[in-house]
Amino acid sequence: MTIETRKVQQTGGSTYIISLPKPWADKVGIKTGARVSLYPQPDGKLVIDPIHDSPPAKRCHIDVTGRMGDVLKRDLIAAYLVGSDIIEIRAERILSDQKKTIREMCYKLIGPEIIEETAKKVVIQDLLNPDEISIKKSVRRMFLISNSMHMDAIKAVKTLDNDLALDIDHRDDDVDRLFLLIAKQYRAVLRGAKLPDATDTSIDEYHDLRMAAGPIERIADHARKIAKVTFTLKRPIPEDIMSMIEKTSDLSRKIVEDAIDSLYNSDVNLANQVIDRVEKMSPLITKLNEASLRLNSSETIVAMGTVIDSIDRTGDYGANIAEIAINSAMASQK
């Protein structure tokens, strides 16, 4: 892409004007008398967006002949992430198991709904207006859900509450839905789409929030792993070890909470404190592993290994978010 420069001129004593590059104007369909939208960015840039009638829907066609289970799921997620407005699924005959998978994926994604269904075709339309979704709110919502999942997972292990553990498994779907929505929006921005919340989020912030969404999604996955341990335990964890688990879990959750605060408030000092606290948590993890090895049941030892590892990894992901916060704060000071 050739970078062109324009000289700013003044007209009427108070209005600045510049000319638009003709090749670009022709490419996006701007003609004499056309209107454009101007979007001031937080970093001082000005985005010029042509105003057109509603663009034609972006369609994606998928032949699902012989494609089942996870393969079909991956196809649908890929079609969603590339920003398809309409996903048309065809086969000589779409099997009932395939239709079940399609319905499940519509539930697991934000926006898509089935609008037409026959024996040979299923049509999915994305009904979401991306302008209504703020990435800041989506990432914050991901954190709140994952944080409550971790807290409740420890409680489920302590009380052997299988119903609570199952609820945590369902909440993980909500985190995944938000994560995929953020990924979809970010890909659209990279292709030149207007930022959904351009008035208060720069492209750099958008990138950093997208980066932070990854560790948060994995934190939710580890909360789910902890909760699943509940189904394998036949008797409560000894009180002394459970107390150590709760203490270490609280430290790990606090690390993530402060990392998120440092990201949203551009607080470099807090972010550095978070990273230091992760290193100090290492002896506690070692002590907890040693204590769990003294348990009588080999099944319980394995279960505790899963819980302890997930608590440790959660803290590490908090440190990753803190590092993103430092990079983000540095970029905003330019």
Side-chain angles (χ1 to χ4, degrees):
M1 179 180 295
T2 302
I3 298 178
E4 299 192 31
T5 60
R6 291 291 186 273
K7 185 175 182 179
V8 178
Q9 301 182 40
Q10 190 172 12
T11 181
S14 60
T15 302
Y16 293 110
I17 62 171
I18 61 168
S19 61
L20 297 176
K22 191 173 187 304
W24 173 80
D26 291 340
K27 180 180 179 180
V28 299
I30 293 179
K31 302 183 181 301
T32 302
R35 297 170 63 243
V36 297
S37 298
L38 305 178
Y39 298 97
Q41 303 295 298
D43 59 4
K45 295 184 177 66
L46 184 67
V47 174
I48 301 175
D49 190 20
I51 298 177
H52 298 303
D53 295 332
S54 297
K58 184 176 180 180
R59 305 182 74 96
C60 175
H61 300 272
I62 304 176
D63 185 345
V64 297
T65 303
R67 305 186 77 77
M68 306 290 291
D70 290 341
V71 174
L72 178 54
K73 289 179 182 179
R74 287 191 285 269
D75 286 345
L76 294 173
I77 290 174
Y80 174 80
L81 290 177
V82 299
S84 303
D85 299 305
I86 296 177
I87 304 172
E88 190 172 304
I89 301 164
R90 288 184 175 273
E92 188 60 33
R93 180 189 171 194
I94 301 178
L95 304 176
S96 59
D97 283 348
Q98 291 176 311
K99 288 189 175 182
K100 181 181 177 182
T101 299
I102 293 167
R103 293 188 191 98
E104 288 175 352
M105 291 311 299
C106 285
Y107 167 75
K108 289 178 178 292
L109 301 171
I110 298 177
E113 297 286 347
I114 296 174
I115 61 171
E116 183 182 345
E117 182 175 347
T118 67
K120 297 183 177 182
K121 181 172 70 172
V122 176
V123 179
I124 300 171
Q125 183 172 356
D126 190 347
L127 303 178
L128 179 70
N129 180 359
D131 292 342
E132 298 175 354
I133 305 297
S134 161
I135 189 173
K136 287 185 175 180
K137 292 180 180 178
S138 294
V139 172
R140 173 70 74 177
R141 180 64 179 157
M142 283 183 67
F143 159 68
L144 292 173
I145 297 173
S146 64
N147 189 51
S148 70
M149 287 173 62
H150 184 105
M151 184 166 48
D152 286 346
I154 298 298
K155 182 179 178 180
V157 169
K158 181 178 181 179
T159 61
L160 302 185
D161 189 335
N162 288 348
D163 185 69
L164 181 58
L166 187 60
D167 179 66
I168 292 164
D169 189 64
H170 293 160
R171 274 183 269 170
D172 187 52
D173 288 339
D174 293 333
V175 175
D176 290 342
R177 294 170 77 216
L178 287 165
F179 177 70
L180 288 171
L181 173 63
I182 291 168
K184 173 188 175 184
Q185 289 181 316
Y186 184 61
R187 288 171 69 104
V189 168
L190 292 179
R191 293 194 301 269
K194 178 173 68 70
L195 289 173
D197 40 6
T199 55
D200 63 351
T201 308
S202 68
I203 186 65
D204 286 339
E205 289 175 307
Y206 216 92
H207 168 269
D208 295 334
L209 288 165
R210 165 63 184 87
M211 290 284 289
I216 297 173
E217 190 269 340
R218 289 187 283 275
I219 288 169
D221 287 342
H222 279 285
R224 185 185 182 205
K225 287 180 67 176
I226 294 172
K228 282 188 171 183
V229 165
T230 305
F231 300 113
T232 68
L233 294 174
K234 295 180 175 61
R235 59 182 62 88
I237 303 299
E239 187 175 337
D240 58 334
I241 294 181
M242 195 67 229
S243 177
M244 294 171 62
I245 288 173
E246 288 178 306
K247 178 182 178 182
T248 311
S249 168
D250 288 343
L251 290 173
S252 185
R253 285 195 306 105
K254 181 62 175 173
I255 283 171
V256 177
E257 181 180 331
D258 286 347
I260 291 293
D261 286 344
S262 70
L263 176 64
Y264 275 76
N265 298 317
S266 299
D267 191 333
V268 173
N269 290 332
L270 180 58
N272 280 308
Q273 291 172 24
V274 165
I275 296 171
D276 291 340
R277 274 155 45 200
V278 171
E279 295 177 0
K280 292 177 182 177
M281 199 174 76
S282 182
L284 294 176
I285 295 294
T286 301
K287 185 177 179 180
L288 192 50
N289 274 316
E290 292 172 350
S292 69
L293 291 175
R294 294 194 293 268
L295 293 168
N296 295 326
S297 167
S298 58
E299 290 83 0
T300 306
I301 291 174
V302 172
M304 286 302 93
T306 298
V307 172
I308 296 165
D309 177 69
S310 289
I311 292 173
D312 188 23
R313 296 287 293 277
T314 296
D316 288 340
Y317 288 131
N320 292 344
I321 296 170
E323 290 174 355
I324 295 169
I326 294 171
N327 296 339
S328 180
M330 190 65 66
S332 66
Q333 293 174 7
K334 292 192 300 181

